[in-house]
């Protein structure tokens, strides 16, 4: 068997064995079903609101959770094997570092794929069952888009976790650095961008500035999920920036894909130079 | 015999640190090389060069006819087994699962795994999780892993650490079998007692250099450490002791009936003849310098040379 597949299937089986897959799936299912039906509790109603509200609130929450889960899943991919001594051993097998990294990515990627599809897909199924007024086609389309972008977002952070994992020598450092990355992309970036915008108000073209959002994969993810619903008053904060420019769906997806490939390539380069 | 490993003045620098200062070694089919040295002597770096995990800063490394760190590295690694010094494997997997994973990476069958588990004596624990394993069981699993795919070259780093005496005996038997099958073995160690019978030659490393290299006999000759011969007679024979004391230096009386003396390796046979011609000889013992003594000797020479 191809060594990439061998490594990937071990990672996936590890995901089943240590209950990561079931835990992530359940978490996604609970929070997406919960948001779909109880997201409007604050406004005094219980029940399914509308597809735009559901998807945008799902995206607002997913943008915090998915990167965290992906980082936690994959931060020790290389440094963990190194600490256990198995990295040294694996590299004496007929297996290149590229194949090892790809195998890990395939395995972790598949774990996220299964959890995302089943977890979020279950709430689509429940909406279809409990809210028959919503057209089947729309649920299918919006949820597919949401699941696809969630998956890409997860893979982006798996790739970033590898970047962390190959550049440090201890697991604890990798965990710490992963948290820093999460903090930077999920919280700091938007605040910094808003601060920048406020202090240079008027001097900068809003459209230009909105392209800065492409520098943050979490913003790309949110743009992608907010874009179909611009009539809704759901775009707040930096998302409001993008109202004036409507980046194309293709551009957003390509950006996410680039955000997967770039960290992976850098991680591979660093891994090649890493001493074992 | 074909050369399995050939190191030609291999050097390795890490920044300003010279880990290896020009090492030349040859290992042929069916040879067991003992790679001996203190921590930091360069054993691990030498192993990593042979494994192709690092490239030499200078000099050449050829393993199974190829550069192990080059484009043919996978072909080399397919025919190579390695037992790292301390490996914790995957604690949540069973021994059999761990072995199967590594077997798949080497393209080996399930049956082959089962055979190896039996061979290293791990059958009873194969389906338990590795986290419950003792150090000795982990070493057995490590050995099974190293033997996957009947390698032509086996590198073993401190293989007997943590093994009980019976397991060490089993281990050496395995090494002897492999040697007969033509496998080349590198035994990296600083635990010495008992190893000398099983190695064809030894390389003593210190501070990145080969201090001594050759068969045990050749090392003994080079070190010129005297052989200790002891003789016991059936009655009190002071006259004999005196006779020998006049002829040889270093005669030491042990008790009324026995004495021991030190001679050079070359004089050994002549001494045996003299002793065996004396009536009343009850027992004669010869103590050649052990590998441990040789090791200490060459490390001492090195330190004095360094001053």
């Amino acid at each position: 068997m191809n060594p990439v597949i061998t490594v990937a299937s071990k990672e996936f089986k590890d995901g089943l064995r240590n209950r990561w897959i079931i835990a992530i799936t359940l978490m996604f299912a609970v929070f997406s079903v919960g948001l779909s039906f109880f997201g409007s509790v604050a406004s005094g109603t219980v029940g399914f609101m509308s597809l735009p509200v559901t998807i945008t609130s799902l995206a607002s929450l997913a943008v915090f959770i998915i990167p965290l889960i992906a980082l936690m899943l994959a931060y020790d991919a290389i440094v963990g094997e190194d600490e256990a001594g198995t990295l040294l051993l694996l590299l004496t097998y007929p297996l290149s570092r590229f194949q090892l990294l790809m195998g890990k990515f395939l395995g972790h990627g598949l774990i996220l794929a299964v959890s995302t599809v089943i977890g979020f897909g279950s709430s689509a199924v429940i909406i279809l069952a409990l809210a028959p007024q919503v057209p089947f086609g729309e649920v299918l389309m919006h949820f597919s888009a949401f699941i696809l972008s969630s998956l890409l977002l997860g893979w982006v952070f798996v790739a970033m976790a590898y970047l962390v994992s190959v550049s440090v020598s201890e697991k604890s450092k990798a965990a710490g650095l992963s948290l820093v990355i999460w903090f930077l992309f999920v919280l700091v970036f938007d605040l910094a961008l808003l601060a920048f915008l406020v202090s240079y108000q008027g001097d900068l073209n809003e459209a230009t500035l909105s392209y800065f959002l492409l520098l943050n994969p979490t913003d790309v993810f949110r743009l992608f999920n907010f874009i179909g619903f611009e009539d809704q008053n759901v775009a707040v904060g930096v998302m409001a920036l993008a109202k004036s420019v409507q980046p194309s769906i293709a551009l957003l997806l390509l950006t996410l894909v680039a955000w997967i490939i770039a960290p992976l390539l850098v991680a591979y380069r660093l891994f090649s130079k890493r001493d074992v | 015999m074909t050369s399995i490993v050939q190191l030609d003045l291999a050097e390795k620098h890490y920044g300003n640190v010279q880990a290896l200062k020009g090492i030349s070694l040859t290992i042929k089919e069916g040879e067991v090389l003992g790679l001996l040295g203190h921590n930091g002597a360069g054993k691990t770096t030498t192993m990593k060069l042979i494994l192709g995990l690092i490239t030499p800063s200078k000099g050449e490394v050829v393993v199974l006819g190829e550069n192990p760190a080059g484009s043919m590295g996978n072909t080399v690694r397919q025919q190579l087994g390695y037992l790292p010094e301390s490996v914790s494997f995957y604690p949540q997997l069973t021994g059999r699962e761990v072995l199967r994973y590594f077997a798949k990476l080497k393209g080996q069958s399930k049956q082959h795994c089962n055979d190896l588990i039996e061979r290293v004596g791990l059958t009873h624990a194969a389906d338990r999780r590795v986290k419950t394993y003792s150090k000795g069981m982990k070493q057995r699993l490590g050995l099974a892993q190293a033997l996957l795919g009947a390698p032509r070259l086996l590198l073993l780093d401190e293989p007997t650490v943590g093994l009980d005496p019976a397991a060490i005996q089993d281990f050496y038997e395995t090494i002897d079998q492999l040697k007969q099958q033509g496998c080349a073995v590198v035994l990296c160690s600083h635990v010495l007692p008992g190893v000398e019978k099983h190695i064809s030659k030894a390389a003593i490393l210190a501070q990145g250099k080969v201090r001594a290299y050759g068969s045990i006999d050749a090392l003994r000759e080079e070190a010129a450490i005297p052989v200790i011969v002891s003789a016991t007679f059936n009655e009190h024979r002071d006259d004999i002791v005196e006779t020998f004391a006049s002829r040889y230096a270093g005669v030491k009386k042990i008790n009324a009936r026995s004495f021991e003396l030190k001679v050079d390796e070359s004089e050994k046979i002549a001494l045996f003849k003299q002793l065996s011609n004396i009536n009343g000889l009850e027992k004669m013992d010869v103590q050649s310098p052990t590998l441990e003594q040789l090791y200490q000797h060459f490390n001492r020479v090195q330190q004095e040379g360094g001053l």
Side-chain angles (χ1 to χ4, degrees), chain A residues 14-43:
Chain A
D14 282 352
L16 283 175
R17 188 190 309 269
N18 58 28
R19 310 218 162 59
W20 261 95
I21 295 179
I22 185 94
I24 305 174
T25 308
L26 273 177
M27 200 165 123
F28 285 167
V30 167
F31 103 68
S32 66
V33 171
L35 267 185
S36 306
F37 287 93
F38 303 103
S40 53
V41 169
S43 55

PDB file of all heavy atoms in Angstrom, chain A residues 14-43:
ATOM      1  N   ASP A  14      -6.772   6.341  14.638  1.00  0.00           N
ATOM      2  CA  ASP A  14      -6.481   6.954  15.932  1.00  0.00           C
ATOM      3  C   ASP A  14      -7.596   7.906  16.321  1.00  0.00           C
ATOM      4  O   ASP A  14      -7.988   7.980  17.480  1.00  0.00           O
ATOM      5  CB  ASP A  14      -5.156   7.731  15.880  1.00  0.00           C
ATOM      6  CG  ASP A  14      -3.950   6.811  15.959  1.00  0.00           C
ATOM      7  OD1 ASP A  14      -4.151   5.604  16.196  1.00  0.00           O
ATOM      8  OD2 ASP A  14      -2.825   7.298  15.771  1.00  0.00           O
ATOM      9  N   GLY A  15      -8.122   8.622  15.331  1.00  0.00           N
ATOM     10  CA  GLY A  15      -9.227   9.553  15.569  1.00  0.00           C
ATOM     11  C   GLY A  15     -10.471   8.838  16.068  1.00  0.00           C
ATOM     12  O   GLY A  15     -11.207   9.353  16.910  1.00  0.00           O
ATOM     13  N   LEU A  16     -10.696   7.634  15.532  1.00  0.00           N
ATOM     14  CA  LEU A  16     -11.832   6.840  15.991  1.00  0.00           C
ATOM     15  C   LEU A  16     -11.564   6.301  17.386  1.00  0.00           C
ATOM     16  O   LEU A  16     -12.415   6.336  18.266  1.00  0.00           O
ATOM     17  CB  LEU A  16     -12.062   5.648  15.060  1.00  0.00           C
ATOM     18  CG  LEU A  16     -12.748   5.909  13.722  1.00  0.00           C
ATOM     19  CD1 LEU A  16     -12.757   4.631  12.900  1.00  0.00           C
ATOM     20  CD2 LEU A  16     -14.171   6.402  13.928  1.00  0.00           C
ATOM     21  N   ARG A  17     -10.342   5.791  17.572  1.00  0.00           N
ATOM     22  CA  ARG A  17      -9.963   5.138  18.818  1.00  0.00           C
ATOM     23  C   ARG A  17     -10.002   6.107  20.005  1.00  0.00           C
ATOM     24  O   ARG A  17     -10.538   5.781  21.047  1.00  0.00           O
ATOM     25  CB  ARG A  17      -8.558   4.583  18.657  1.00  0.00           C
ATOM     26  CG  ARG A  17      -8.080   3.716  19.792  1.00  0.00           C
ATOM     27  CD  ARG A  17      -6.605   3.446  19.605  1.00  0.00           C
ATOM     28  NE  ARG A  17      -6.324   2.961  18.270  1.00  0.00           N
ATOM     29  CZ  ARG A  17      -6.309   1.686  17.943  1.00  0.00           C
ATOM     30  NH1 ARG A  17      -6.558   0.779  18.844  1.00  0.00           N
ATOM     31  NH2 ARG A  17      -6.029   1.322  16.698  1.00  0.00           N
ATOM     32  N   ASN A  18      -9.449   7.311  19.813  1.00  0.00           N
ATOM     33  CA  ASN A  18      -9.427   8.234  20.956  1.00  0.00           C
ATOM     34  C   ASN A  18     -10.675   9.115  20.996  1.00  0.00           C
ATOM     35  O   ASN A  18     -10.729  10.091  21.719  1.00  0.00           O
ATOM     36  CB  ASN A  18      -8.132   9.059  20.971  1.00  0.00           C
ATOM     37  CG  ASN A  18      -7.945   9.852  19.696  1.00  0.00           C
ATOM     38  OD1 ASN A  18      -8.919  10.225  19.042  1.00  0.00           O
ATOM     39  ND2 ASN A  18      -6.713  10.118  19.335  1.00  0.00           N
ATOM     40  N   ARG A  19     -11.675   8.734  20.200  1.00  0.00           N
ATOM     41  CA  ARG A  19     -13.016   9.348  20.235  1.00  0.00           C
ATOM     42  C   ARG A  19     -13.029  10.813  19.800  1.00  0.00           C
ATOM     43  O   ARG A  19     -13.966  11.540  20.101  1.00  0.00           O
ATOM     44  CB  ARG A  19     -13.645   9.208  21.626  1.00  0.00           C
ATOM     45  CG  ARG A  19     -13.592   7.785  22.150  1.00  0.00           C
ATOM     46  CD  ARG A  19     -14.819   7.389  22.901  1.00  0.00           C
ATOM     47  NE  ARG A  19     -14.933   5.943  23.023  1.00  0.00           N
ATOM     48  CZ  ARG A  19     -14.045   5.125  23.589  1.00  0.00           C
ATOM     49  NH1 ARG A  19     -12.915   5.612  24.056  1.00  0.00           N
ATOM     50  NH2 ARG A  19     -14.261   3.837  23.665  1.00  0.00           N
ATOM     51  N   TRP A  20     -11.997  11.231  19.114  1.00  0.00           N
ATOM     52  CA  TRP A  20     -12.011  12.589  18.583  1.00  0.00           C
ATOM     53  C   TRP A  20     -13.166  12.753  17.598  1.00  0.00           C
ATOM     54  O   TRP A  20     -13.901  13.732  17.646  1.00  0.00           O
ATOM     55  CB  TRP A  20     -10.698  12.879  17.845  1.00  0.00           C
ATOM     56  CG  TRP A  20      -9.710  13.644  18.669  1.00  0.00           C
ATOM     57  CD1 TRP A  20      -8.692  13.117  19.410  1.00  0.00           C
ATOM     58  CD2 TRP A  20      -9.649  15.057  18.840  1.00  0.00           C
ATOM     59  NE1 TRP A  20      -8.007  14.126  20.028  1.00  0.00           N
ATOM     60  CE2 TRP A  20      -8.564  15.330  19.700  1.00  0.00           C
ATOM     61  CE3 TRP A  20     -10.408  16.132  18.354  1.00  0.00           C
ATOM     62  CZ2 TRP A  20      -8.208  16.623  20.081  1.00  0.00           C
ATOM     63  CZ3 TRP A  20     -10.048  17.416  18.732  1.00  0.00           C
ATOM     64  CH2 TRP A  20      -8.972  17.658  19.587  1.00  0.00           C
ATOM     65  N   ILE A  21     -13.297  11.777  16.699  1.00  0.00           N
ATOM     66  CA  ILE A  21     -14.298  11.915  15.636  1.00  0.00           C
ATOM     67  C   ILE A  21     -15.687  12.036  16.231  1.00  0.00           C
ATOM     68  O   ILE A  21     -16.447  12.953  15.887  1.00  0.00           O
ATOM     69  CB  ILE A  21     -14.204  10.725  14.665  1.00  0.00           C
ATOM     70  CG1 ILE A  21     -12.843  10.766  13.960  1.00  0.00           C
ATOM     71  CG2 ILE A  21     -15.351  10.749  13.654  1.00  0.00           C
ATOM     72  CD1 ILE A  21     -12.608   9.647  12.989  1.00  0.00           C
ATOM     73  N   ILE A  22     -16.001  11.140  17.159  1.00  0.00           N
ATOM     74  CA  ILE A  22     -17.339  11.165  17.737  1.00  0.00           C
ATOM     75  C   ILE A  22     -17.549  12.450  18.540  1.00  0.00           C
ATOM     76  O   ILE A  22     -18.614  13.072  18.472  1.00  0.00           O
ATOM     77  CB  ILE A  22     -17.587   9.884  18.589  1.00  0.00           C
ATOM     78  CG1 ILE A  22     -19.029   9.818  19.105  1.00  0.00           C
ATOM     79  CG2 ILE A  22     -16.643   9.756  19.754  1.00  0.00           C
ATOM     80  CD1 ILE A  22     -19.897   9.021  18.186  1.00  0.00           C
ATOM     81  N   ALA A  23     -16.504  12.896  19.242  1.00  0.00           N
ATOM     82  CA  ALA A  23     -16.644  14.109  20.053  1.00  0.00           C
ATOM     83  C   ALA A  23     -16.883  15.340  19.180  1.00  0.00           C
ATOM     84  O   ALA A  23     -17.786  16.141  19.451  1.00  0.00           O
ATOM     85  CB  ALA A  23     -15.396  14.298  20.915  1.00  0.00           C
ATOM     86  N   ILE A  24     -16.095  15.475  18.126  1.00  0.00           N
ATOM     87  CA  ILE A  24     -16.263  16.653  17.266  1.00  0.00           C
ATOM     88  C   ILE A  24     -17.618  16.606  16.569  1.00  0.00           C
ATOM     89  O   ILE A  24     -18.330  17.607  16.475  1.00  0.00           O
ATOM     90  CB  ILE A  24     -15.130  16.735  16.203  1.00  0.00           C
ATOM     91  CG1 ILE A  24     -13.746  16.715  16.864  1.00  0.00           C
ATOM     92  CG2 ILE A  24     -15.269  18.010  15.372  1.00  0.00           C
ATOM     93  CD1 ILE A  24     -12.606  16.635  15.868  1.00  0.00           C
ATOM     94  N   THR A  25     -17.982  15.423  16.086  1.00  0.00           N
ATOM     95  CA  THR A  25     -19.258  15.284  15.390  1.00  0.00           C
ATOM     96  C   THR A  25     -20.412  15.696  16.297  1.00  0.00           C
ATOM     97  O   THR A  25     -21.294  16.478  15.904  1.00  0.00           O
ATOM     98  CB  THR A  25     -19.461  13.829  14.926  1.00  0.00           C
ATOM     99  OG1 THR A  25     -18.315  13.428  14.210  1.00  0.00           O
ATOM    100  CG2 THR A  25     -20.691  13.697  14.048  1.00  0.00           C
ATOM    101  N   LEU A  26     -20.389  15.168  17.517  1.00  0.00           N
ATOM    102  CA  LEU A  26     -21.466  15.484  18.457  1.00  0.00           C
ATOM    103  C   LEU A  26     -21.513  16.981  18.757  1.00  0.00           C
ATOM    104  O   LEU A  26     -22.583  17.586  18.787  1.00  0.00           O
ATOM    105  CB  LEU A  26     -21.258  14.723  19.768  1.00  0.00           C
ATOM    106  CG  LEU A  26     -21.852  13.326  19.802  1.00  0.00           C
ATOM    107  CD1 LEU A  26     -21.529  12.648  21.125  1.00  0.00           C
ATOM    108  CD2 LEU A  26     -23.375  13.412  19.607  1.00  0.00           C
ATOM    109  N   MET A  27     -20.314  17.561  18.935  1.00  0.00           N
ATOM    110  CA  MET A  27     -20.253  18.974  19.253  1.00  0.00           C
ATOM    111  C   MET A  27     -20.855  19.803  18.113  1.00  0.00           C
ATOM    112  O   MET A  27     -21.681  20.687  18.341  1.00  0.00           O
ATOM    113  CB  MET A  27     -18.786  19.335  19.446  1.00  0.00           C
ATOM    114  CG  MET A  27     -18.568  20.577  20.212  1.00  0.00           C
ATOM    115  SD  MET A  27     -16.851  20.582  20.701  1.00  0.00           S
ATOM    116  CE  MET A  27     -16.377  22.088  19.983  1.00  0.00           C
ATOM    117  N   PHE A  28     -20.442  19.481  16.881  1.00  0.00           N
ATOM    118  CA  PHE A  28     -20.985  20.201  15.728  1.00  0.00           C
ATOM    119  C   PHE A  28     -22.488  20.011  15.638  1.00  0.00           C
ATOM    120  O   PHE A  28     -23.238  20.959  15.377  1.00  0.00           O
ATOM    121  CB  PHE A  28     -20.329  19.710  14.427  1.00  0.00           C
ATOM    122  CG  PHE A  28     -18.914  20.212  14.234  1.00  0.00           C
ATOM    123  CD1 PHE A  28     -18.102  19.647  13.253  1.00  0.00           C
ATOM    124  CD2 PHE A  28     -18.400  21.237  15.008  1.00  0.00           C
ATOM    125  CE1 PHE A  28     -16.802  20.107  13.061  1.00  0.00           C
ATOM    126  CE2 PHE A  28     -17.110  21.699  14.821  1.00  0.00           C
ATOM    127  CZ  PHE A  28     -16.309  21.126  13.845  1.00  0.00           C
ATOM    128  N   ALA A  29     -22.941  18.784  15.859  1.00  0.00           N
ATOM    129  CA  ALA A  29     -24.368  18.505  15.732  1.00  0.00           C
ATOM    130  C   ALA A  29     -25.152  19.269  16.787  1.00  0.00           C
ATOM    131  O   ALA A  29     -26.147  19.924  16.475  1.00  0.00           O
ATOM    132  CB  ALA A  29     -24.616  16.998  15.861  1.00  0.00           C
ATOM    133  N   VAL A  30     -24.681  19.213  18.032  1.00  0.00           N
ATOM    134  CA  VAL A  30     -25.417  19.859  19.116  1.00  0.00           C
ATOM    135  C   VAL A  30     -25.475  21.370  18.885  1.00  0.00           C
ATOM    136  O   VAL A  30     -26.534  21.988  18.964  1.00  0.00           O
ATOM    137  CB  VAL A  30     -24.777  19.537  20.483  1.00  0.00           C
ATOM    138  CG1 VAL A  30     -25.327  20.457  21.568  1.00  0.00           C
ATOM    139  CG2 VAL A  30     -25.022  18.074  20.839  1.00  0.00           C
ATOM    140  N   PHE A  31     -24.343  21.955  18.533  1.00  0.00           N
ATOM    141  CA  PHE A  31     -24.406  23.417  18.435  1.00  0.00           C
ATOM    142  C   PHE A  31     -25.127  23.875  17.170  1.00  0.00           C
ATOM    143  O   PHE A  31     -25.796  24.901  17.178  1.00  0.00           O
ATOM    144  CB  PHE A  31     -23.031  24.057  18.704  1.00  0.00           C
ATOM    145  CG  PHE A  31     -22.248  24.544  17.531  1.00  0.00           C
ATOM    146  CD1 PHE A  31     -22.671  25.644  16.780  1.00  0.00           C
ATOM    147  CD2 PHE A  31     -21.043  23.931  17.203  1.00  0.00           C
ATOM    148  CE1 PHE A  31     -21.917  26.102  15.720  1.00  0.00           C
ATOM    149  CE2 PHE A  31     -20.297  24.389  16.139  1.00  0.00           C
ATOM    150  CZ  PHE A  31     -20.736  25.474  15.386  1.00  0.00           C
ATOM    151  N   SER A  32     -25.072  23.073  16.101  1.00  0.00           N
ATOM    152  CA  SER A  32     -25.798  23.534  14.917  1.00  0.00           C
ATOM    153  C   SER A  32     -27.304  23.317  15.054  1.00  0.00           C
ATOM    154  O   SER A  32     -28.100  24.176  14.678  1.00  0.00           O
ATOM    155  CB  SER A  32     -25.246  22.876  13.645  1.00  0.00           C
ATOM    156  OG  SER A  32     -25.492  21.503  13.658  1.00  0.00           O
ATOM    157  N   VAL A  33     -27.693  22.193  15.653  1.00  0.00           N
ATOM    158  CA  VAL A  33     -29.120  21.985  15.878  1.00  0.00           C
ATOM    159  C   VAL A  33     -29.630  23.024  16.883  1.00  0.00           C
ATOM    160  O   VAL A  33     -30.683  23.640  16.694  1.00  0.00           O
ATOM    161  CB  VAL A  33     -29.397  20.542  16.383  1.00  0.00           C
ATOM    162  CG1 VAL A  33     -30.851  20.401  16.826  1.00  0.00           C
ATOM    163  CG2 VAL A  33     -29.067  19.535  15.301  1.00  0.00           C
ATOM    164  N   GLY A  34     -28.833  23.239  17.921  1.00  0.00           N
ATOM    165  CA  GLY A  34     -29.214  24.211  18.941  1.00  0.00           C
ATOM    166  C   GLY A  34     -29.392  25.599  18.364  1.00  0.00           C
ATOM    167  O   GLY A  34     -30.414  26.253  18.585  1.00  0.00           O
ATOM    168  N   LEU A  35     -28.417  26.027  17.569  1.00  0.00           N
ATOM    169  CA  LEU A  35     -28.504  27.372  16.992  1.00  0.00           C
ATOM    170  C   LEU A  35     -29.673  27.491  16.029  1.00  0.00           C
ATOM    171  O   LEU A  35     -30.332  28.522  15.961  1.00  0.00           O
ATOM    172  CB  LEU A  35     -27.211  27.712  16.251  1.00  0.00           C
ATOM    173  CG  LEU A  35     -26.143  28.456  17.036  1.00  0.00           C
ATOM    174  CD1 LEU A  35     -24.982  28.813  16.127  1.00  0.00           C
ATOM    175  CD2 LEU A  35     -26.726  29.745  17.635  1.00  0.00           C
ATOM    176  N   SER A  36     -29.918  26.412  15.281  1.00  0.00           N
ATOM    177  CA  SER A  36     -30.999  26.467  14.285  1.00  0.00           C
ATOM    178  C   SER A  36     -32.349  26.682  14.955  1.00  0.00           C
ATOM    179  O   SER A  36     -33.217  27.358  14.416  1.00  0.00           O
ATOM    180  CB  SER A  36     -31.048  25.173  13.473  1.00  0.00           C
ATOM    181  OG  SER A  36     -29.795  24.896  12.920  1.00  0.00           O
ATOM    182  N   PHE A  37     -32.521  26.097  16.145  1.00  0.00           N
ATOM    183  CA  PHE A  37     -33.855  26.146  16.741  1.00  0.00           C
ATOM    184  C   PHE A  37     -33.975  27.068  17.937  1.00  0.00           C
ATOM    185  O   PHE A  37     -35.050  27.531  18.262  1.00  0.00           O
ATOM    186  CB  PHE A  37     -34.300  24.727  17.113  1.00  0.00           C
ATOM    187  CG  PHE A  37     -34.648  23.929  15.896  1.00  0.00           C
ATOM    188  CD1 PHE A  37     -33.694  23.131  15.276  1.00  0.00           C
ATOM    189  CD2 PHE A  37     -35.914  24.032  15.323  1.00  0.00           C
ATOM    190  CE1 PHE A  37     -34.004  22.430  14.131  1.00  0.00           C
ATOM    191  CE2 PHE A  37     -36.227  23.332  14.171  1.00  0.00           C
ATOM    192  CZ  PHE A  37     -35.271  22.534  13.571  1.00  0.00           C
ATOM    193  N   PHE A  38     -32.819  27.306  18.591  1.00  0.00           N
ATOM    194  CA  PHE A  38     -32.920  28.142  19.782  1.00  0.00           C
ATOM    195  C   PHE A  38     -32.105  29.423  19.659  1.00  0.00           C
ATOM    196  O   PHE A  38     -31.932  30.140  20.631  1.00  0.00           O
ATOM    197  CB  PHE A  38     -32.477  27.348  21.022  1.00  0.00           C
ATOM    198  CG  PHE A  38     -33.277  26.100  21.213  1.00  0.00           C
ATOM    199  CD1 PHE A  38     -32.756  24.859  20.873  1.00  0.00           C
ATOM    200  CD2 PHE A  38     -34.578  26.161  21.707  1.00  0.00           C
ATOM    201  CE1 PHE A  38     -33.506  23.709  21.028  1.00  0.00           C
ATOM    202  CE2 PHE A  38     -35.325  25.003  21.866  1.00  0.00           C
ATOM    203  CZ  PHE A  38     -34.792  23.774  21.530  1.00  0.00           C
ATOM    204  N   GLY A  39     -31.621  29.689  18.442  1.00  0.00           N
ATOM    205  CA  GLY A  39     -30.786  30.865  18.231  1.00  0.00           C
ATOM    206  C   GLY A  39     -31.549  32.156  18.473  1.00  0.00           C
ATOM    207  O   GLY A  39     -30.962  33.205  18.723  1.00  0.00           O
ATOM    208  N   SER A  40     -32.869  32.077  18.422  1.00  0.00           N
ATOM    209  CA  SER A  40     -33.656  33.304  18.531  1.00  0.00           C
ATOM    210  C   SER A  40     -34.303  33.458  19.901  1.00  0.00           C
ATOM    211  O   SER A  40     -35.201  34.273  20.076  1.00  0.00           O
ATOM    212  CB  SER A  40     -34.744  33.277  17.450  1.00  0.00           C
ATOM    213  OG  SER A  40     -35.457  32.061  17.557  1.00  0.00           O
ATOM    214  N   VAL A  41     -33.837  32.667  20.837  1.00  0.00           N
ATOM    215  CA  VAL A  41     -34.421  32.726  22.174  1.00  0.00           C
ATOM    216  C   VAL A  41     -34.335  34.139  22.738  1.00  0.00           C
ATOM    217  O   VAL A  41     -35.276  34.633  23.362  1.00  0.00           O
ATOM    218  CB  VAL A  41     -33.714  31.716  23.115  1.00  0.00           C
ATOM    219  CG1 VAL A  41     -34.110  31.943  24.565  1.00  0.00           C
ATOM    220  CG2 VAL A  41     -34.058  30.304  22.691  1.00  0.00           C
ATOM    221  N   ALA A  42     -33.232  34.808  22.453  1.00  0.00           N
ATOM    222  CA  ALA A  42     -33.024  36.155  22.987  1.00  0.00           C
ATOM    223  C   ALA A  42     -34.133  37.106  22.546  1.00  0.00           C
ATOM    224  O   ALA A  42     -34.530  38.010  23.277  1.00  0.00           O
ATOM    225  CB  ALA A  42     -31.662  36.679  22.547  1.00  0.00           C
ATOM    226  N   SER A  43     -34.661  36.899  21.322  1.00  0.00           N
ATOM    227  CA  SER A  43     -35.715  37.787  20.843  1.00  0.00           C
ATOM    228  C   SER A  43     -37.100  37.262  21.224  1.00  0.00           C
ATOM    229  O   SER A  43     -38.109  37.748  20.727  1.00  0.00           O
ATOM    230  CB  SER A  43     -35.588  37.971  19.324  1.00  0.00           C
ATOM    231  OG  SER A  43     -35.582  36.710  18.695  1.00  0.00           O
TER     232      SER A  43
END
